Amino acid sequence: MSTAPRRTALDALHRLLGATMTDFAGWDMPLRYGSERDEHQAVRTRAGLFDLSHMGEITVTGPQAAQLLNHALVGNIATVGTGRARYTMICRADGGILDDLIVYRTGATEYLVVANAGNAQTVLDALRERASGFDAEVRDDRDAYALIAVQGPESPGILAAVTDADLDGLKYYAGLPGTVAGVPALIARTGYTGEDGFELFVAPEHAERIWQALTEAGAAAGLVPCGLSCRDTLRLEAGMPLYGHELTEALTPFDAGLGRVVKFEKEGDFVGRAALEAAAEKAAANPPRKLVGLVAEGRRVPRAGFAVVADGAVIGEVTSGAPSPTLGRPIAMAYVDAAHAEPGTAGVAVDIRGTHEPYRVVALPFYKRQK
């Protein structure tokens, strides 16, 4: 029997706005409201409003919460200050990536772990299994939160109109409690678009009130509702990895060029340490395929799984590809052999249904906002 997709607290509002809905990781989510290009450009130049309530929230509390997370994850969570956040990963014992995460320290002995929607149950199960022997509790809080994001250069002014929080004092990768539209929220300055912006963790019953308040506050600034489609092109331009594409269980953080998130210097053992030490040595001695950017010379769009070729031989594989509204041409991220990974490497092409379309190798990200 098939299970009907879950619906967020904003589902009725999305339908009222005319959103095209899609099943994403078991959730019925807005793909777009109108033109995905217009939504993308709104985030780059003004602001966009996203429903991200499909993400998985897991609370870890207790006297040994930090020690548990240091054991379970590859990052050094014990050094995260209260009110700050850290990007990290959870790996298998063999070093394969189970998911990439953001961990917020919300109190002296309390942390909020945010997992990707499709991996939330896997992460929850792994944390509970790895909690054995630690004086800490792992709690499934997926139903306790709705998650709304406002992203784009106008987002600080828009949010400031409806909150009492000190947004000027809120640094990137930090989170603080406050009120938004008169209701409690955890206000985080994170995001997945390459722009400045905020993510608001709120009780589901307050989600519609906050969405409407932000919509009204942002009307003069050109705020528009945005779906998952433009979120994908925004993160692709910003060179941000997506689990299932750039990150998989078959890859270690070192394979993905993200070895910096693995903190061998932290105290104690952690799951995957031995395998990751070996992966780090291998990557240093004989670099595996590297994640690079590709920009099309023509107009044909590459998709995940398409082969990257040079001199008639396969040298890599596309992990994500789409038309770039900002660059005005198709772009892709791909893992390619180290010999062809330098920006400007000539003779690289993508096999698009039998035709070798020329592409330029470029450094990631494709787009970086002006500070």
Side-chain angles (χ1 to χ4, degrees), residues 306-320:
F306 285 13
V308 182
V309 297
D311 299 322
V314 175
I315 60 157
E317 184 176 299
V318 171
T319 53
S320 298

Side-chain angles (χ1 to χ4, degrees), residues 330-354:
I331 60 173
M333 285 198 283
Y335 283 108
V336 302
D337 294 345
H340 294 86
E342 283 300 310
T345 300
V348 172
V350 176
D351 186 340
I352 301 181
R353 298 179 182 86

Side-chain angles (χ1 to χ4, degrees), residues 7-358:
R7 296 186 173 189
T8 78
L10 294 166
D11 182 78
L13 193 148
H14 297 318
R15 295 171 193 278
L16 193 65
L17 292 171
T20 299
M21 306 296 287
T22 189
D23 184 345
F24 183 82
W27 290 80
D28 210 15
M29 298 295 295
L31 186 64
R32 69 182 71 84
Y33 297 84
S35 160
E36 50 201 54
R37 175 178 288 270
D38 290 348
E39 292 172 23
H40 180 112
Q41 297 288 30
V43 175
R44 285 278 179 259
T45 60
R46 304 185 306 278
L49 193 57
F50 296 83
D51 180 7
L52 305 179
S53 301
H54 60 310
M55 301 295 281
E57 294 87 6
I58 302 163
T59 299
V60 180
T61 61
Q64 292 189 306
Q67 291 94 319
L68 162 58
L69 290 171
N70 262 14
H71 167 70
L73 312 180
V74 302
N76 192 349
I77 307 305
T79 60
V80 178
T82 302
R84 299 307 303 267
R86 183 156 296 166
Y87 175 79
T88 188
M89 295 182 184
I90 182 168
C91 291
R92 303 188 312 192
D94 66 0
I97 303 167
L98 285 174
D99 200 12
D100 61 335
L101 312 164
I102 295 179
V103 179
Y104 300 90
R105 186 173 184 178
T106 54
T109 59
E110 182 167 301
Y111 298 81
L112 179 65
V113 178
V114 181
N116 285 296
N119 296 333
Q121 189 64 47
T122 298
V123 174
L124 178 66
D125 292 344
L127 287 175
R128 283 179 168 164
E129 180 183 337
R130 296 174 189 187
S132 177
F134 291 92
D135 186 4
E137 175 194 355
V138 177
R139 187 173 71 235
D140 182 359
D141 271 349
R142 284 176 287 180
D143 292 334
Y145 293 102
L147 180 56
I148 296 171
V150 54
Q151 295 277 306
E154 299 291 339
S155 59
I158 293 168
L159 183 57
V162 294
T163 184
D164 61 353
D166 174 20
L167 299 184
D168 290 337
L170 184 63
K171 298 178 180 178
Y172 186 53
Y173 263 70
L176 56 79
T179 60
V180 178
V183 299
L186 172 64
I187 305 167
R189 197 165 205 158
T190 50
Y192 195 52
T193 63
E195 299 296 338
D196 192 11
F198 304 87
E199 292 179 317
L200 310 173
F201 296 84
V202 303
E205 61 267 26
H206 296 149
E208 192 164 327
R209 175 174 176 173
I210 288 177
W211 181 281
Q212 297 287 27
L214 288 166
T215 298
E216 292 170 15
L223 174 80
V224 301
C226 294
L228 294 180
S229 185
C230 85
R231 190 167 184 251
D232 190 51
T233 53
L234 289 159
R235 72 90 194 169
L236 177 55
E237 287 185 350
M240 294 178 170
L242 175 64
Y243 195 88
H245 290 254
E246 288 73 40
L247 308 175
T248 70
E249 284 190 41
L251 299 172
T252 72
F254 294 95
D255 296 326
L258 291 168
R260 64 183 180 275
V261 306
V262 182
K263 303 302 182 185
F264 293 120
E265 70 275 14
K266 64 180 176 177
E267 289 185 19
D269 195 13
F270 62 91
V271 177
R273 176 190 274 273
L276 290 169
E277 285 176 338
E281 290 180 16
K282 181 181 176 182
N286 184 24
R289 285 182 168 178
K290 292 186 176 181
L291 187 64
V292 302
L294 298 175
V295 177
E297 302 289 353
R299 294 292 171 187
R300 297 188 70 187
V301 179
R303 298 298 182 191
F306 285 13
V308 182
V309 297
D311 299 322
V314 175
I315 60 157
E317 184 176 299
V318 171
T319 53
S320 298
S324 166
T326 303
L327 275 64
R329 57 182 62 241
I331 60 173
M333 285 198 283
Y335 283 108
V336 302
D337 294 345
H340 294 86
E342 283 300 310
T345 300
V348 172
V350 176
D351 186 340
I352 301 181
R353 298 179 182 86
T355 302
H356 291 184
E357 298 287 341

